[in-house]
Amino acid sequence: MSSENQANSKQYSSAPAMQIDPQKEYTATFKMENGEQFIIKLYADKAPVTVNSFVFLARDGYFDGVTFHRVLEGFMAQGGDPTGTGRGGPGYQFNNEDSDLEFDRAGIVAMANAGRDTNGSQFFITFGPTPHLNGGYTIFGQVIKGMPTVNNIKRRDPSRNPDFPGDAIKTVTIEEI
């Protein structure tokens, strides 16, 4: 069974209990199937529920083998859906967390959703400032190393070419500082 098929089968009955310490710092190192990597600083203090869910899923291997399924030029790269369709998730949803963070630069990491308070496993990384997104999505991190890798993720629009393979995540490793 491939890692992608294993990821497809993972569903959880509810959001994870709080396992992180919002006073500590966390990073997520994304190793891509193509050998490149990038690092995200997670904002546990600003979005503890979101970071807790992301850390839980990453530590459980949920993102391993998952593609960036929607990558739009000049906008963002979206991943975290093991089905690669934009419709998959972990089996649970959680509420938005509002903060003073804004979509004011490249490398902002936020939860994708199907409307307020429908967060699951899908997230996106911006390629530049996207102020029109302020207030609608939970920002929970920032790329701190490897932005050229993020910028080079294969462009892919599943609504136009659903069979085109996107760039896949090999592993996401969480470090607590």
Side-chain angles (χ1 to χ4, degrees):
M1 181 183 280
S2 75
S3 62
E4 188 169 10
N5 287 339
Q6 289 173 344
N8 286 341
S9 66
K10 290 193 180 197
Q11 291 285 289
Y12 308 89
S13 59
S14 62
M18 188 59 67
Q19 300 171 357
I20 65 159
D21 180 346
Q23 303 307 311
K24 293 190 176 178
E25 291 190 16
Y26 295 83
T27 60
T29 300
F30 283 69
K31 290 191 176 155
M32 301 295 288
E33 291 284 356
N34 65 11
E36 296 187 31
Q37 72 176 29
F38 60 93
I39 300 173
I40 294 172
K41 176 183 178 178
L42 301 173
Y43 297 137
D45 59 333
K46 301 273 187 179
V49 172
T50 304
V51 170
N52 185 66
S53 176
F54 184 85
V55 166
F56 166 78
L57 293 171
R59 287 180 171 161
D60 201 39
Y62 187 84
F63 300 117
D64 298 358
V66 174
T67 64
F68 279 92
H69 64 276
R70 186 169 172 251
V71 186
L72 305 178
E73 186 64 43
F75 183 33
M76 57 86 216
Q78 184 173 335
D81 173 7
T83 71
T85 65
R87 294 185 293 275
Y92 63 82
Q93 294 182 340
F94 58 92
N95 291 343
N96 283 37
E97 292 178 281
D98 298 318
S99 70
D100 59 351
L101 300 171
E102 295 187 340
F103 290 94
D104 57 359
R105 61 189 165 287
I108 298 287
V109 185
M111 291 305 295
N113 62 44
R116 189 163 180 84
D117 301 332
T118 62
N119 300 292
S121 60
Q122 294 187 47
F123 61 91
F124 62 93
I125 306 169
T126 61
F127 292 138
T130 52
H132 63 284
L133 299 178
N134 288 336
Y137 303 86
T138 300
I139 296 172
F140 71 98
Q142 170 72 47
V143 175
I144 57 170
K145 187 175 182 186
M147 194 61 199
T149 297
V150 174
N151 287 331
N152 288 330
I153 294 172
K154 273 186 210 156
R155 301 313 189 242
R156 182 178 189 273
D157 184 344
S159 66
R160 293 189 180 169
N161 191 353
D163 297 326
F164 177 75
D167 283 344
I169 299 165
K170 186 172 186 177
T171 59
V172 179
T173 305
I174 303 296
E175 185 176 345
E176 181 180 284
I177 303 166

